[in-house]
Amino acid sequence: MSEPALDVRGLTVRYRDVVALEDVTVQVAQGQACGLVGMNGSGKSTLLKAVVGLVRPDAGSVAVLGGTPDAARAGGLVGYVPQVDDVDRDFPVTVDDVVLMGRYHRMGRRRRTRPVDRAAVDEALTRVGLADLAGRQIGRLSGGQRQRVLLARALAQEARVLLLDEPFTGLDVVSEAAITAVLRGLVDDGCTVLLSTHDLATLPELCETSVLLHRRVLAQGPTADVVTPENLARTFGLDARAEA
Amino acid sequence: MTWWEVLVEPWQFEFMQRALLVTVLAGVVAAVLSCWLVLIGWSLMGDAVSHAVLPGVVLSYLVGAPFAVGALVFGLGAVGLIGAVRETTRLKEDTAIGVVFTTAFAVGVVLVSTTPSQVDLSHILFGNVLGVSDADIVQVVVLAAVALAVLVARRRDITLYAFDRVHAHVVGLPVRRIGAMLLLLLALAVVVALQAVGVVLAVAMLITPGATAFLLTDRIERMLVVAPLVATVCAVAGIWTSYLLDAASAGLVVVFQGLAFAVAYVVARRRERVR
Ligand SMILES: Nc1ncnc2c1ncn2[C@@H]1O[C@H](COP(=O)(O)OP(=O)(O)OP(=O)(O)O)[C@@H](O)[C@H]1O
Ligand SMILES: [Mg+2]
């Protein structure tokens, strides 16, 4: 492919005196999935947040589909499923209300629901296996179900770049397999996916490329070349040669 | 007198009709807004704005400007200050709110004490709905209509703002602008509520109906119907009772809202036990 869908160059992000990312350069080609692997605190979430404009880079640049993150967001081109489920469980909305929120940027100023929005919501819920819970209040779900609702919202958005922060955490094996298939289907349809994960088993079947992260990029490339025992040992600091 | 006459008699007086109009309008606007305020956790913000407008109202009376102008300026000023204090210090929001609104209120108290008696503090503090002027009514009707129209038209964006600001940001919605709009609407609602129930009790109208509706339903769209309904019923009941008992209408309206909350509480508890 010509230009990469995601082009992160020399990215440095600090939280006050903590350096979360340092000189990180990552590219993901259009229509490919890329896995982010690293230990707790290695900067995976920070990288995803920088791409979606939730944290400001201290140095370096981020380009999404050739434009700025702001432009990509304004066009509804990036979807983002956060890691922490800090959704207010008592909030008086239903599952399909939440999924519909993925489409607000496409709806008119008053966000009136059109048939096409309704259809997209139903399809997204079916894909994540939650069609029969559409009318439930959002708090009356299990943690894994709620996570799938947020994924459905990102699907309904029909974004061209999808960022997922540990989408498999808390999912049972059946759901995980189903979600993996859904994501793979999206990528095959031309969507670009960047996801962080601790689940090394699903990585080869889902992601063409992988990035090993520990504040800096330790290795990146085709998943089979990158996710090797030696590299993993380095990434997770099991090896004496690992840098702090 | 038959019961029907007792029921209808008060409404033949013009001052009662005006009082009802102002209180219902104020109640409905505040009630719709209160649904989101209780969900966001901004109940205290209503308290802050309603107290902070005191100096603005006093100054308006002194220079003969419409009270809404002074109230809006000071209400928005307080909101801005609260935001600034919170963002530039490590203080939590409730502390920032507490410092700013008590100070503004104190300035108002000082102003009142040093000005000639044309400003009746008790009317500002506790409302004077039975004596509203024509000009006041025009202000209330216009402001309430504007606020209500915006709230209804933008209700889905406001709900998304209350529910998930990160997602709103990600799909490119103007998160800061929605927040600012909500605070502006809050200031408008306070100005309207001031006429009905005064500075001290305005905050009740900005919390209780939303809290009541929240106990009764777990759908925001239904809350947005239930809360203004409750507020309307309480306005009618409060004003009518105030005529009957010759007691403070503002206090009675708020007491009825508290009663409505109590009923909703009992209903909700029962329902939970059945479930
Ligand atoms: N809001 C914050 N304020 C200050 N420091 C932060 C903040 N968020 C993250 N950090 C720090 O930045 C570094 C990277 O954090 P990040 O959340 O990106 O890691 P992660 O790879 O996603 O970890 P995990 O696997 O636990 O999710 C960590 O050292 C963390 O302590
Ligand atoms: Mg993380």
Side-chain angles (χ1 to χ4, degrees):
Chain A
M1 280 264 169
S2 48
E3 63 169 4
L6 272 177
D7 194 354
V8 176
R9 285 170 194 258
L11 182 70
T12 297
V13 176
R14 285 189 208 96
Y15 297 101
R16 295 176 203 264
D17 48 353
V18 181
V19 180
L21 292 174
E22 200 175 346
D23 196 19
V24 167
T25 296
V26 170
Q27 270 123 17
V28 186
Q30 293 199 23
Q32 290 208 342
C34 175
L36 274 177
V37 179
M39 58 194 282
N40 293 144
S42 59
K44 303 181 296 295
S45 299
T46 304
L47 177 55
L48 296 173
K49 286 179 188 166
V51 171
V52 82
L54 288 167
V55 297
R56 298 238 152 269
D58 289 286
S61 66
V62 177
V64 182
L65 297 166
T68 63
D70 285 354
R73 271 187 287 112
L77 302 176
V78 244
Y80 170 65
V81 181
Q83 173 178 13
V84 276
D85 172 22
D86 56 2
V87 164
D88 177 359
R89 303 189 55 147
D90 290 324
F91 204 92
V93 285
T94 55
V95 167
D96 52 356
D97 289 338
V98 173
V99 177
L100 187 65
M101 288 172 185
R103 301 194 55 86
Y104 276 14
H105 62 293
R106 296 168 177 272
M107 296 153 72
R109 260 177 80 76
R110 300 187 54 181
R111 322 287 178 211
R112 281 219 189 85
T113 315
R114 304 158 301 171
V116 46
D117 302 313
R118 196 74 262 160
V121 168
D122 291 345
E123 200 207 315
L125 280 172
T126 307
R127 281 170 103 169
V128 302
L130 290 180
D132 45 346
L133 297 185
R136 278 252 187 115
Q137 192 261 332
I138 189 73
R140 300 204 190 102
L141 297 177
S142 74
Q145 288 169 337
R146 220 169 14 253
Q147 196 165 346
R148 278 145 66 196
V149 172
L150 297 189
L151 177 63
R153 179 171 72 179
L155 295 179
Q157 190 186 331
E158 294 173 22
R160 289 182 49 209
V161 175
L162 197 52
L163 309 171
L164 304 144
D165 205 347
E166 300 192 20
F168 303 121
T169 309
L171 295 191
D172 59 41
V173 278
V174 179
S175 303
E176 173 164 353
I179 299 302
T180 306
V182 168
L183 293 178
R184 196 56 238 174
L186 280 180
V187 173
D188 292 340
D189 289 343
C191 183
T192 308
V193 170
L194 178 61
L195 60 89
S196 72
T197 183
H198 292 293
D199 184 0
L200 303 176
T202 43
L203 213 50
E205 58 176 295
L206 181 54
C207 298
E208 282 92 353
T209 61
S210 291
V211 174
L212 301 189
L213 199 64
H214 189 105
R215 207 175 65 203
R216 298 162 163 277
V217 174
L218 297 183
Q220 67 176 312
T223 299
D225 301 346
V226 168
V227 183
T228 60
E230 307 85 71
N231 278 340
L232 290 175
R234 259 198 328 138
T235 307
F236 290 93
L238 305 174
D239 189 304
R241 282 169 301 158
E243 52 174 327
Chain B
M1 257 199 311
T2 67
W3 62 270
W4 177 248
E5 279 163 351
V6 174
L7 215 56
V8 181
E9 191 211 309
W11 306 120
Q12 51 195 319
F13 300 106
E14 205 197 328
F15 72 90
M16 287 293 286
Q17 295 166 6
R18 289 153 161 264
L20 186 67
L21 174 70
V22 170
T23 311
V24 167
L25 278 178
V28 167
V29 172
V32 170
L33 195 57
S34 72
C35 294
W36 291 295
L37 296 184
V38 299
L39 292 175
I40 301 177
W42 272 3
S43 300
L44 267 180
M45 201 61 112
D47 203 16
V49 174
S50 58
H51 281 79
V53 299
L54 180 60
V57 174
V58 177
L59 287 176
S60 303
Y61 276 117
L62 287 183
V63 303
F67 79 95
V69 175
L72 267 182
V73 168
F74 275 76
L76 293 175
V79 167
L81 260 182
I82 289 167
V85 170
R86 196 200 50 212
E87 275 166 31
T88 53
T89 66
R90 283 178 296 120
L91 293 171
K92 298 224 163 58
E93 186 161 51
D94 60 337
T95 308
I97 288 176
V99 171
V100 170
F101 95 72
T102 49
T103 307
F105 190 70
V107 169
V109 170
V110 173
L111 272 179
V112 172
S113 70
T114 58
T115 53
S117 57
Q118 78 221 49
V119 182
D120 188 337
L121 183 60
S122 76
H123 282 176
I124 301 176
L125 292 186
F126 300 110
N128 179 31
V129 77
L130 297 178
V132 284
S133 68
D134 285 343
D136 290 344
I137 291 215
V138 171
Q139 286 181 49
V140 164
V141 170
V142 170
L143 293 181
V146 169
L148 207 54
V150 176
L151 283 170
V152 171
R154 305 303 300 277
R155 65 182 186 281
R156 289 197 142 176
D157 280 1
I158 300 174
T159 300
L160 174 53
Y161 177 88
F163 178 62
D164 191 343
R165 279 174 231 185
V166 167
H167 178 73
H169 168 88
V170 168
V171 293
L173 300 194
V175 178
R176 292 186 75 102
R177 217 188 307 154
I178 296 172
M181 175 185 79
L182 207 50
L183 289 172
L184 177 65
L185 289 165
L186 174 60
L188 284 180
V190 164
V191 169
V192 174
L194 283 189
Q195 277 299 313
V197 296
V199 163
V200 175
L201 293 177
V203 61
M205 297 185 113
L206 285 163
I207 301 177
T208 312
T212 306
F214 182 71
L215 289 184
L216 291 176
T217 171
D218 57 11
R219 302 279 188 279
I220 179 79
E221 295 284 328
R222 280 183 217 155
M223 277 178 74
L224 292 173
V225 175
V226 171
L229 265 181
V230 167
T232 304
V233 170
C234 292
V236 175
I239 304 261
W240 182 81
T241 313
S242 83
Y243 179 87
L244 202 72
L245 304 179
D246 194 19
S249 58
L252 279 165
V253 170
V254 173
V255 165
F256 273 105
Q257 291 194 348
L259 285 176
F261 178 84
V263 171
Y265 176 84
V266 172
V267 170
R269 288 300 298 243
R270 281 212 164 162
R271 229 192 271 160
E272 248 158 51
R273 232 171 289 147
V274 172
R275 198 183 272 144

